[in-house]
Amino acid sequence: MKTLLIVYHSFTGGTRQMAEAAASAARGQEGVAVRLLRAQDAGPENVLAADGYLFAAPENLAAIAGLMKDFFDRCYYPVLERVNGRPYAVMVCAGSDGSNALRQIERIATGWRLKAVAPGLIVCTHAQTPERILAPKVIGAEDLARCAELGEGLAAGLGAGVF
């Protein structure tokens, strides 16, 4: 049995919805256990116990949210050289662009020596005013389907031994 670890942070609910859609679809794959954890609840022991990863983070001020960065910082030294080559994918919930947050996670994954197995997925909420930025998010069905497809594909690849 392989384990897919999905780590996310969400303040307004958008990234949580994305992570839950990916986890739900991933759970439908044979031979794969799915762990869905908030970034503040995940630690090195969870990373080391998993065979693949899906990281889901909101974009804050053109970067990944602080609690997601904290997860990566807390885990860096304990997992270094112990997860080399494991597969990962990334989802970003962005108010505008999301590309810098995606690049940040990709750079961190490079430091961990993980292997990207899918292009990063950015869901844009177009939240640009203070009111819309702070408002609870509702991710549309099309975007949730894209998240589900990513989770399902990652789990299928793990279960089949493709990566």
Side-chain angles (χ1 to χ4, degrees):
M1 175 81 63
K2 299 286 186 169
T3 300
L4 172 61
L5 175 64
I6 302 175
V7 178
Y8 75 96
H9 171 66
S10 190
F11 181 73
T12 61
T15 310
R16 178 187 47 76
Q17 293 166 56
M18 293 167 58
E20 287 174 349
S24 179
R27 287 186 179 112
Q29 297 302 303
E30 293 286 325
V32 179
V34 178
R35 299 231 29 225
L36 176 64
L37 294 175
R38 296 179 316 153
Q40 60 264 38
D41 299 328
E45 66 282 358
N46 305 115
V47 175
L48 292 171
D51 301 290
Y53 314 98
L54 179 54
F55 304 117
E59 170 196 53
N60 287 354
L61 302 170
I64 60 174
L67 284 176
M68 195 69 185
K69 178 68 166 61
D70 173 72
F71 157 75
F72 287 119
D73 288 345
R74 285 185 290 108
C75 294
Y76 180 72
Y77 289 110
V79 307
L80 190 61
E81 297 295 333
R82 298 173 71 189
V83 295
N84 294 13
R86 293 185 190 177
Y88 84 97
V90 178
M91 299 187 300
V92 173
C93 185
S96 59
D97 178 73
S99 62
N100 192 55
L102 176 61
R103 265 193 309 278
Q104 263 189 300
I105 296 174
E106 289 172 341
R107 288 183 63 150
I108 290 166
T110 297
W112 282 14
R113 292 157 185 81
L114 300 177
K115 177 184 171 189
V117 295
L121 173 61
I122 298 173
V123 172
C124 185
T125 65
H126 304 285
Q128 292 297 298
T129 64
E131 297 77 23
R132 289 193 63 199
I133 290 168
L134 292 171
K137 305 297 182 286
V138 175
I139 305 301
E142 272 186 38
D143 286 323
L144 290 177
R146 292 170 52 216
C147 298
E149 184 178 317
L150 182 58
E152 182 178 49
L154 187 51
L158 275 176
V162 174
F163 24 79

PDB file of all heavy atoms in Angstrom, residues 31-70:
ATOM      1  N   GLY A  31      -4.968   0.610  -3.836  1.00  0.00           N
ATOM      2  CA  GLY A  31      -3.603   0.479  -3.359  1.00  0.00           C
ATOM      3  C   GLY A  31      -2.971   1.751  -2.823  1.00  0.00           C
ATOM      4  O   GLY A  31      -1.759   1.806  -2.644  1.00  0.00           O
ATOM      5  N   VAL A  32      -3.791   2.780  -2.576  1.00  0.00           N
ATOM      6  CA  VAL A  32      -3.251   4.054  -2.104  1.00  0.00           C
ATOM      7  C   VAL A  32      -4.053   4.551  -0.906  1.00  0.00           C
ATOM      8  O   VAL A  32      -5.274   4.690  -0.983  1.00  0.00           O
ATOM      9  CB  VAL A  32      -3.268   5.127  -3.218  1.00  0.00           C
ATOM     10  CG1 VAL A  32      -2.728   6.455  -2.700  1.00  0.00           C
ATOM     11  CG2 VAL A  32      -2.465   4.666  -4.424  1.00  0.00           C
ATOM     12  N   ALA A  33      -3.349   4.809   0.184  1.00  0.00           N
ATOM     13  CA  ALA A  33      -3.948   5.459   1.351  1.00  0.00           C
ATOM     14  C   ALA A  33      -3.700   6.952   1.214  1.00  0.00           C
ATOM     15  O   ALA A  33      -2.602   7.367   0.826  1.00  0.00           O
ATOM     16  CB  ALA A  33      -3.310   4.937   2.628  1.00  0.00           C
ATOM     17  N   VAL A  34      -4.700   7.742   1.508  1.00  0.00           N
ATOM     18  CA  VAL A  34      -4.589   9.194   1.369  1.00  0.00           C
ATOM     19  C   VAL A  34      -4.653   9.833   2.743  1.00  0.00           C
ATOM     20  O   VAL A  34      -5.570   9.567   3.516  1.00  0.00           O
ATOM     21  CB  VAL A  34      -5.715   9.759   0.466  1.00  0.00           C
ATOM     22  CG1 VAL A  34      -5.625  11.274   0.373  1.00  0.00           C
ATOM     23  CG2 VAL A  34      -5.648   9.131  -0.916  1.00  0.00           C
ATOM     24  N   ARG A  35      -3.661  10.661   3.043  1.00  0.00           N
ATOM     25  CA  ARG A  35      -3.651  11.449   4.288  1.00  0.00           C
ATOM     26  C   ARG A  35      -3.792  12.906   3.913  1.00  0.00           C
ATOM     27  O   ARG A  35      -2.984  13.432   3.154  1.00  0.00           O
ATOM     28  CB  ARG A  35      -2.339  11.270   5.046  1.00  0.00           C
ATOM     29  CG  ARG A  35      -2.113   9.854   5.457  1.00  0.00           C
ATOM     30  CD  ARG A  35      -1.780   9.572   6.900  1.00  0.00           C
ATOM     31  NE  ARG A  35      -2.292  10.463   7.905  1.00  0.00           N
ATOM     32  CZ  ARG A  35      -1.563  10.933   8.915  1.00  0.00           C
ATOM     33  NH1 ARG A  35      -0.290  10.636   9.014  1.00  0.00           N
ATOM     34  NH2 ARG A  35      -2.111  11.694   9.834  1.00  0.00           N
ATOM     35  N   LEU A  36      -4.814  13.549   4.422  1.00  0.00           N
ATOM     36  CA  LEU A  36      -5.070  14.974   4.185  1.00  0.00           C
ATOM     37  C   LEU A  36      -4.810  15.702   5.500  1.00  0.00           C
ATOM     38  O   LEU A  36      -5.520  15.476   6.487  1.00  0.00           O
ATOM     39  CB  LEU A  36      -6.517  15.172   3.731  1.00  0.00           C
ATOM     40  CG  LEU A  36      -6.991  16.605   3.515  1.00  0.00           C
ATOM     41  CD1 LEU A  36      -6.217  17.271   2.375  1.00  0.00           C
ATOM     42  CD2 LEU A  36      -8.492  16.625   3.225  1.00  0.00           C
ATOM     43  N   LEU A  37      -3.781  16.554   5.513  1.00  0.00           N
ATOM     44  CA  LEU A  37      -3.402  17.245   6.741  1.00  0.00           C
ATOM     45  C   LEU A  37      -3.241  18.739   6.514  1.00  0.00           C
ATOM     46  O   LEU A  37      -2.690  19.160   5.478  1.00  0.00           O
ATOM     47  CB  LEU A  37      -2.073  16.705   7.277  1.00  0.00           C
ATOM     48  CG  LEU A  37      -2.043  15.268   7.771  1.00  0.00           C
ATOM     49  CD1 LEU A  37      -0.615  14.873   8.145  1.00  0.00           C
ATOM     50  CD2 LEU A  37      -2.969  15.101   8.964  1.00  0.00           C
ATOM     51  N   ARG A  38      -3.678  19.512   7.500  1.00  0.00           N
ATOM     52  CA  ARG A  38      -3.407  20.947   7.470  1.00  0.00           C
ATOM     53  C   ARG A  38      -1.916  21.138   7.721  1.00  0.00           C
ATOM     54  O   ARG A  38      -1.295  20.352   8.459  1.00  0.00           O
ATOM     55  CB  ARG A  38      -4.219  21.671   8.535  1.00  0.00           C
ATOM     56  CG  ARG A  38      -5.711  21.580   8.305  1.00  0.00           C
ATOM     57  CD  ARG A  38      -6.524  22.281   9.368  1.00  0.00           C
ATOM     58  NE  ARG A  38      -6.012  21.995  10.702  1.00  0.00           N
ATOM     59  CZ  ARG A  38      -6.136  22.797  11.740  1.00  0.00           C
ATOM     60  NH1 ARG A  38      -6.768  23.936  11.639  1.00  0.00           N
ATOM     61  NH2 ARG A  38      -5.643  22.463  12.920  1.00  0.00           N
ATOM     62  N   ALA A  39      -1.351  22.164   7.136  1.00  0.00           N
ATOM     63  CA  ALA A  39       0.095  22.404   7.249  1.00  0.00           C
ATOM     64  C   ALA A  39       0.549  22.476   8.698  1.00  0.00           C
ATOM     65  O   ALA A  39       1.603  21.934   9.049  1.00  0.00           O
ATOM     66  CB  ALA A  39       0.473  23.682   6.504  1.00  0.00           C
ATOM     67  N   GLN A  40      -0.240  23.102   9.558  1.00  0.00           N
ATOM     68  CA  GLN A  40       0.168  23.232  10.956  1.00  0.00           C
ATOM     69  C   GLN A  40       0.117  21.900  11.704  1.00  0.00           C
ATOM     70  O   GLN A  40       0.726  21.760  12.761  1.00  0.00           O
ATOM     71  CB  GLN A  40      -0.641  24.302  11.689  1.00  0.00           C
ATOM     72  CG  GLN A  40      -2.120  24.060  11.732  1.00  0.00           C
ATOM     73  CD  GLN A  40      -2.869  24.791  10.623  1.00  0.00           C
ATOM     74  OE1 GLN A  40      -2.403  24.896   9.492  1.00  0.00           O
ATOM     75  NE2 GLN A  40      -4.050  25.282  10.946  1.00  0.00           N
ATOM     76  N   ASP A  41      -0.574  20.910  11.151  1.00  0.00           N
ATOM     77  CA  ASP A  41      -0.671  19.592  11.785  1.00  0.00           C
ATOM     78  C   ASP A  41       0.287  18.571  11.187  1.00  0.00           C
ATOM     79  O   ASP A  41       0.411  17.463  11.704  1.00  0.00           O
ATOM     80  CB  ASP A  41      -2.102  19.057  11.673  1.00  0.00           C
ATOM     81  CG  ASP A  41      -3.112  19.946  12.371  1.00  0.00           C
ATOM     82  OD1 ASP A  41      -2.753  20.581  13.390  1.00  0.00           O
ATOM     83  OD2 ASP A  41      -4.262  20.027  11.889  1.00  0.00           O
ATOM     84  N   ALA A  42       0.934  18.915  10.105  1.00  0.00           N
ATOM     85  CA  ALA A  42       1.840  17.988   9.412  1.00  0.00           C
ATOM     86  C   ALA A  42       3.274  18.232   9.856  1.00  0.00           C
ATOM     87  O   ALA A  42       3.672  19.368  10.110  1.00  0.00           O
ATOM     88  CB  ALA A  42       1.717  18.170   7.901  1.00  0.00           C
ATOM     89  N   GLY A  43       4.028  17.153   9.939  1.00  0.00           N
ATOM     90  CA  GLY A  43       5.422  17.265  10.344  1.00  0.00           C
ATOM     91  C   GLY A  43       6.299  16.287   9.597  1.00  0.00           C
ATOM     92  O   GLY A  43       5.826  15.540   8.730  1.00  0.00           O
ATOM     93  N   PRO A  44       7.569  16.277   9.925  1.00  0.00           N
ATOM     94  CA  PRO A  44       8.519  15.411   9.227  1.00  0.00           C
ATOM     95  C   PRO A  44       8.113  13.938   9.235  1.00  0.00           C
ATOM     96  O   PRO A  44       8.315  13.237   8.240  1.00  0.00           O
ATOM     97  CB  PRO A  44       9.829  15.613  10.001  1.00  0.00           C
ATOM     98  CG  PRO A  44       9.677  16.910  10.700  1.00  0.00           C
ATOM     99  CD  PRO A  44       8.221  17.084  10.960  1.00  0.00           C
ATOM    100  N   GLU A  45       7.529  13.459  10.337  1.00  0.00           N
ATOM    101  CA  GLU A  45       7.133  12.051  10.399  1.00  0.00           C
ATOM    102  C   GLU A  45       6.084  11.724   9.355  1.00  0.00           C
ATOM    103  O   GLU A  45       6.080  10.621   8.783  1.00  0.00           O
ATOM    104  CB  GLU A  45       6.632  11.686  11.804  1.00  0.00           C
ATOM    105  CG  GLU A  45       5.347  12.368  12.236  1.00  0.00           C
ATOM    106  CD  GLU A  45       5.480  13.824  12.698  1.00  0.00           C
ATOM    107  OE1 GLU A  45       6.604  14.369  12.739  1.00  0.00           O
ATOM    108  OE2 GLU A  45       4.441  14.424  13.008  1.00  0.00           O
ATOM    109  N   ASN A  46       5.198  12.674   9.042  1.00  0.00           N
ATOM    110  CA  ASN A  46       4.188  12.470   8.003  1.00  0.00           C
ATOM    111  C   ASN A  46       4.829  12.451   6.620  1.00  0.00           C
ATOM    112  O   ASN A  46       4.456  11.642   5.767  1.00  0.00           O
ATOM    113  CB  ASN A  46       3.122  13.563   8.053  1.00  0.00           C
ATOM    114  CG  ASN A  46       2.480  13.683   9.406  1.00  0.00           C
ATOM    115  OD1 ASN A  46       2.628  14.699  10.071  1.00  0.00           O
ATOM    116  ND2 ASN A  46       1.773  12.651   9.849  1.00  0.00           N
ATOM    117  N   VAL A  47       5.784  13.338   6.405  1.00  0.00           N
ATOM    118  CA  VAL A  47       6.489  13.393   5.118  1.00  0.00           C
ATOM    119  C   VAL A  47       7.259  12.102   4.895  1.00  0.00           C
ATOM    120  O   VAL A  47       7.199  11.499   3.819  1.00  0.00           O
ATOM    121  CB  VAL A  47       7.421  14.624   5.056  1.00  0.00           C
ATOM    122  CG1 VAL A  47       8.247  14.616   3.774  1.00  0.00           C
ATOM    123  CG2 VAL A  47       6.615  15.923   5.166  1.00  0.00           C
ATOM    124  N   LEU A  48       7.967  11.654   5.917  1.00  0.00           N
ATOM    125  CA  LEU A  48       8.777  10.439   5.776  1.00  0.00           C
ATOM    126  C   LEU A  48       7.919   9.190   5.586  1.00  0.00           C
ATOM    127  O   LEU A  48       8.353   8.240   4.923  1.00  0.00           O
ATOM    128  CB  LEU A  48       9.685  10.272   6.997  1.00  0.00           C
ATOM    129  CG  LEU A  48      10.787  11.328   7.124  1.00  0.00           C
ATOM    130  CD1 LEU A  48      11.487  11.218   8.473  1.00  0.00           C
ATOM    131  CD2 LEU A  48      11.773  11.220   5.975  1.00  0.00           C
ATOM    132  N   ALA A  49       6.711   9.184   6.124  1.00  0.00           N
ATOM    133  CA  ALA A  49       5.832   8.017   6.020  1.00  0.00           C
ATOM    134  C   ALA A  49       5.084   7.955   4.690  1.00  0.00           C
ATOM    135  O   ALA A  49       4.419   6.960   4.409  1.00  0.00           O
ATOM    136  CB  ALA A  49       4.829   8.021   7.168  1.00  0.00           C
ATOM    137  N   ALA A  50       5.192   8.980   3.862  1.00  0.00           N
ATOM    138  CA  ALA A  50       4.454   9.033   2.593  1.00  0.00           C
ATOM    139  C   ALA A  50       5.345   8.666   1.411  1.00  0.00           C
ATOM    140  O   ALA A  50       6.564   8.835   1.451  1.00  0.00           O
ATOM    141  CB  ALA A  50       3.857  10.419   2.397  1.00  0.00           C
ATOM    142  N   ASP A  51       4.679   8.201   0.365  1.00  0.00           N
ATOM    143  CA  ASP A  51       5.385   7.836  -0.862  1.00  0.00           C
ATOM    144  C   ASP A  51       5.294   8.913  -1.930  1.00  0.00           C
ATOM    145  O   ASP A  51       6.038   8.896  -2.909  1.00  0.00           O
ATOM    146  CB  ASP A  51       4.802   6.529  -1.418  1.00  0.00           C
ATOM    147  CG  ASP A  51       4.934   5.407  -0.418  1.00  0.00           C
ATOM    148  OD1 ASP A  51       6.073   4.960  -0.192  1.00  0.00           O
ATOM    149  OD2 ASP A  51       3.902   4.995   0.151  1.00  0.00           O
ATOM    150  N   GLY A  52       4.348   9.839  -1.775  1.00  0.00           N
ATOM    151  CA  GLY A  52       4.163  10.933  -2.716  1.00  0.00           C
ATOM    152  C   GLY A  52       3.416  12.061  -2.037  1.00  0.00           C
ATOM    153  O   GLY A  52       2.815  11.863  -0.965  1.00  0.00           O
ATOM    154  N   TYR A  53       3.440  13.233  -2.669  1.00  0.00           N
ATOM    155  CA  TYR A  53       2.933  14.432  -2.005  1.00  0.00           C
ATOM    156  C   TYR A  53       2.135  15.313  -2.958  1.00  0.00           C
ATOM    157  O   TYR A  53       2.472  15.437  -4.137  1.00  0.00           O
ATOM    158  CB  TYR A  53       4.102  15.267  -1.458  1.00  0.00           C
ATOM    159  CG  TYR A  53       5.110  14.427  -0.733  1.00  0.00           C
ATOM    160  CD1 TYR A  53       6.270  14.001  -1.372  1.00  0.00           C
ATOM    161  CD2 TYR A  53       4.887  14.011   0.577  1.00  0.00           C
ATOM    162  CE1 TYR A  53       7.193  13.197  -0.719  1.00  0.00           C
ATOM    163  CE2 TYR A  53       5.797  13.205   1.233  1.00  0.00           C
ATOM    164  CZ  TYR A  53       6.952  12.799   0.582  1.00  0.00           C
ATOM    165  OH  TYR A  53       7.854  11.992   1.221  1.00  0.00           O
ATOM    166  N   LEU A  54       1.124  15.949  -2.386  1.00  0.00           N
ATOM    167  CA  LEU A  54       0.405  17.015  -3.071  1.00  0.00           C
ATOM    168  C   LEU A  54       0.380  18.180  -2.093  1.00  0.00           C
ATOM    169  O   LEU A  54      -0.147  18.060  -0.990  1.00  0.00           O
ATOM    170  CB  LEU A  54      -1.014  16.581  -3.446  1.00  0.00           C
ATOM    171  CG  LEU A  54      -1.878  17.616  -4.160  1.00  0.00           C
ATOM    172  CD1 LEU A  54      -1.200  18.178  -5.398  1.00  0.00           C
ATOM    173  CD2 LEU A  54      -3.230  17.010  -4.514  1.00  0.00           C
ATOM    174  N   PHE A  55       0.997  19.280  -2.485  1.00  0.00           N
ATOM    175  CA  PHE A  55       1.065  20.468  -1.655  1.00  0.00           C
ATOM    176  C   PHE A  55       0.065  21.486  -2.191  1.00  0.00           C
ATOM    177  O   PHE A  55       0.079  21.798  -3.388  1.00  0.00           O
ATOM    178  CB  PHE A  55       2.475  21.058  -1.669  1.00  0.00           C
ATOM    179  CG  PHE A  55       3.539  20.085  -1.244  1.00  0.00           C
ATOM    180  CD1 PHE A  55       4.535  19.685  -2.115  1.00  0.00           C
ATOM    181  CD2 PHE A  55       3.546  19.549   0.036  1.00  0.00           C
ATOM    182  CE1 PHE A  55       5.520  18.795  -1.730  1.00  0.00           C
ATOM    183  CE2 PHE A  55       4.521  18.648   0.444  1.00  0.00           C
ATOM    184  CZ  PHE A  55       5.515  18.270  -0.438  1.00  0.00           C
ATOM    185  N   ALA A  56      -0.776  22.017  -1.314  1.00  0.00           N
ATOM    186  CA  ALA A  56      -1.802  22.985  -1.713  1.00  0.00           C
ATOM    187  C   ALA A  56      -1.687  24.216  -0.819  1.00  0.00           C
ATOM    188  O   ALA A  56      -1.807  24.101   0.403  1.00  0.00           O
ATOM    189  CB  ALA A  56      -3.194  22.369  -1.608  1.00  0.00           C
ATOM    190  N   ALA A  57      -1.455  25.355  -1.441  1.00  0.00           N
ATOM    191  CA  ALA A  57      -1.224  26.570  -0.663  1.00  0.00           C
ATOM    192  C   ALA A  57      -1.920  27.760  -1.297  1.00  0.00           C
ATOM    193  O   ALA A  57      -2.021  27.856  -2.516  1.00  0.00           O
ATOM    194  CB  ALA A  57       0.278  26.857  -0.589  1.00  0.00           C
ATOM    195  N   PRO A  58      -2.357  28.696  -0.455  1.00  0.00           N
ATOM    196  CA  PRO A  58      -2.845  29.951  -0.998  1.00  0.00           C
ATOM    197  C   PRO A  58      -1.666  30.879  -1.292  1.00  0.00           C
ATOM    198  O   PRO A  58      -0.600  30.762  -0.684  1.00  0.00           O
ATOM    199  CB  PRO A  58      -3.714  30.521   0.123  1.00  0.00           C
ATOM    200  CG  PRO A  58      -3.182  29.920   1.371  1.00  0.00           C
ATOM    201  CD  PRO A  58      -2.581  28.596   0.980  1.00  0.00           C
ATOM    202  N   GLU A  59      -1.902  31.763  -2.226  1.00  0.00           N
ATOM    203  CA  GLU A  59      -0.939  32.824  -2.514  1.00  0.00           C
ATOM    204  C   GLU A  59      -1.282  34.000  -1.602  1.00  0.00           C
ATOM    205  O   GLU A  59      -2.424  34.444  -1.567  1.00  0.00           O
ATOM    206  CB  GLU A  59      -1.073  33.249  -3.975  1.00  0.00           C
ATOM    207  CG  GLU A  59      -0.300  34.494  -4.310  1.00  0.00           C
ATOM    208  CD  GLU A  59      -0.743  35.111  -5.609  1.00  0.00           C
ATOM    209  OE1 GLU A  59      -1.953  35.368  -5.771  1.00  0.00           O
ATOM    210  OE2 GLU A  59       0.128  35.344  -6.459  1.00  0.00           O
ATOM    211  N   ASN A  60      -0.307  34.451  -0.851  1.00  0.00           N
ATOM    212  CA  ASN A  60      -0.457  35.646  -0.021  1.00  0.00           C
ATOM    213  C   ASN A  60       0.668  36.605  -0.370  1.00  0.00           C
ATOM    214  O   ASN A  60       1.846  36.238  -0.239  1.00  0.00           O
ATOM    215  CB  ASN A  60      -0.378  35.315   1.467  1.00  0.00           C
ATOM    216  CG  ASN A  60      -1.607  34.602   1.971  1.00  0.00           C
ATOM    217  OD1 ASN A  60      -2.583  34.446   1.255  1.00  0.00           O
ATOM    218  ND2 ASN A  60      -1.558  34.168   3.213  1.00  0.00           N
ATOM    219  N   LEU A  61       0.317  37.814  -0.813  1.00  0.00           N
ATOM    220  CA  LEU A  61       1.329  38.815  -1.149  1.00  0.00           C
ATOM    221  C   LEU A  61       2.355  38.258  -2.138  1.00  0.00           C
ATOM    222  O   LEU A  61       3.558  38.410  -1.962  1.00  0.00           O
ATOM    223  CB  LEU A  61       2.005  39.352   0.106  1.00  0.00           C
ATOM    224  CG  LEU A  61       1.073  39.986   1.136  1.00  0.00           C
ATOM    225  CD1 LEU A  61       1.801  40.260   2.431  1.00  0.00           C
ATOM    226  CD2 LEU A  61       0.458  41.254   0.566  1.00  0.00           C
ATOM    227  N   ALA A  62       1.880  37.564  -3.156  1.00  0.00           N
ATOM    228  CA  ALA A  62       2.694  36.994  -4.228  1.00  0.00           C
ATOM    229  C   ALA A  62       3.649  35.904  -3.747  1.00  0.00           C
ATOM    230  O   ALA A  62       4.666  35.632  -4.378  1.00  0.00           O
ATOM    231  CB  ALA A  62       3.460  38.084  -4.981  1.00  0.00           C
ATOM    232  N   ALA A  63       3.333  35.255  -2.627  1.00  0.00           N
ATOM    233  CA  ALA A  63       4.171  34.188  -2.097  1.00  0.00           C
ATOM    234  C   ALA A  63       3.261  33.145  -1.440  1.00  0.00           C
ATOM    235  O   ALA A  63       2.063  33.365  -1.293  1.00  0.00           O
ATOM    236  CB  ALA A  63       5.147  34.753  -1.070  1.00  0.00           C
ATOM    237  N   ILE A  64       3.839  32.013  -1.051  1.00  0.00           N
ATOM    238  CA  ILE A  64       3.023  31.028  -0.345  1.00  0.00           C
ATOM    239  C   ILE A  64       2.701  31.547   1.053  1.00  0.00           C
ATOM    240  O   ILE A  64       3.478  32.295   1.645  1.00  0.00           O
ATOM    241  CB  ILE A  64       3.687  29.633  -0.277  1.00  0.00           C
ATOM    242  CG1 ILE A  64       5.023  29.658   0.447  1.00  0.00           C
ATOM    243  CG2 ILE A  64       3.831  29.038  -1.653  1.00  0.00           C
ATOM    244  CD1 ILE A  64       5.641  28.288   0.666  1.00  0.00           C
ATOM    245  N   ALA A  65       1.568  31.134   1.552  1.00  0.00           N
ATOM    246  CA  ALA A  65       1.132  31.556   2.879  1.00  0.00           C
ATOM    247  C   ALA A  65       2.156  31.133   3.932  1.00  0.00           C
ATOM    248  O   ALA A  65       2.798  30.084   3.821  1.00  0.00           O
ATOM    249  CB  ALA A  65      -0.228  30.951   3.197  1.00  0.00           C
ATOM    250  N   GLY A  66       2.284  31.927   4.972  1.00  0.00           N
ATOM    251  CA  GLY A  66       3.282  31.712   6.003  1.00  0.00           C
ATOM    252  C   GLY A  66       3.211  30.363   6.683  1.00  0.00           C
ATOM    253  O   GLY A  66       4.240  29.740   6.952  1.00  0.00           O
ATOM    254  N   LEU A  67       1.996  29.858   6.985  1.00  0.00           N
ATOM    255  CA  LEU A  67       1.899  28.569   7.658  1.00  0.00           C
ATOM    256  C   LEU A  67       2.337  27.421   6.752  1.00  0.00           C
ATOM    257  O   LEU A  67       2.855  26.409   7.223  1.00  0.00           O
ATOM    258  CB  LEU A  67       0.495  28.327   8.194  1.00  0.00           C
ATOM    259  CG  LEU A  67       0.167  29.108   9.470  1.00  0.00           C
ATOM    260  CD1 LEU A  67      -1.280  28.889   9.880  1.00  0.00           C
ATOM    261  CD2 LEU A  67       1.103  28.721  10.600  1.00  0.00           C
ATOM    262  N   MET A  68       2.159  27.577   5.439  1.00  0.00           N
ATOM    263  CA  MET A  68       2.654  26.555   4.516  1.00  0.00           C
ATOM    264  C   MET A  68       4.179  26.607   4.471  1.00  0.00           C
ATOM    265  O   MET A  68       4.846  25.568   4.505  1.00  0.00           O
ATOM    266  CB  MET A  68       2.048  26.770   3.128  1.00  0.00           C
ATOM    267  CG  MET A  68       2.210  25.606   2.221  1.00  0.00           C
ATOM    268  SD  MET A  68       1.204  24.198   2.765  1.00  0.00           S
ATOM    269  CE  MET A  68       1.740  22.984   1.576  1.00  0.00           C
ATOM    270  N   LYS A  69       4.735  27.802   4.451  1.00  0.00           N
ATOM    271  CA  LYS A  69       6.188  27.956   4.483  1.00  0.00           C
ATOM    272  C   LYS A  69       6.742  27.391   5.784  1.00  0.00           C
ATOM    273  O   LYS A  69       7.787  26.734   5.799  1.00  0.00           O
ATOM    274  CB  LYS A  69       6.561  29.432   4.320  1.00  0.00           C
ATOM    275  CG  LYS A  69       8.046  29.739   4.393  1.00  0.00           C
ATOM    276  CD  LYS A  69       8.814  29.184   3.224  1.00  0.00           C
ATOM    277  CE  LYS A  69      10.211  29.734   3.094  1.00  0.00           C
ATOM    278  NZ  LYS A  69      11.110  29.497   4.203  1.00  0.00           N
ATOM    279  N   ASP A  70       6.036  27.608   6.884  1.00  0.00           N
ATOM    280  CA  ASP A  70       6.438  27.065   8.175  1.00  0.00           C
ATOM    281  C   ASP A  70       6.514  25.535   8.125  1.00  0.00           C
ATOM    282  O   ASP A  70       7.460  24.941   8.655  1.00  0.00           O
ATOM    283  CB  ASP A  70       5.445  27.511   9.263  1.00  0.00           C
ATOM    284  CG  ASP A  70       5.724  26.840  10.591  1.00  0.00           C
ATOM    285  OD1 ASP A  70       6.724  27.191  11.240  1.00  0.00           O
ATOM    286  OD2 ASP A  70       4.933  25.942  10.966  1.00  0.00           O
TER     287      ASP A  70
END
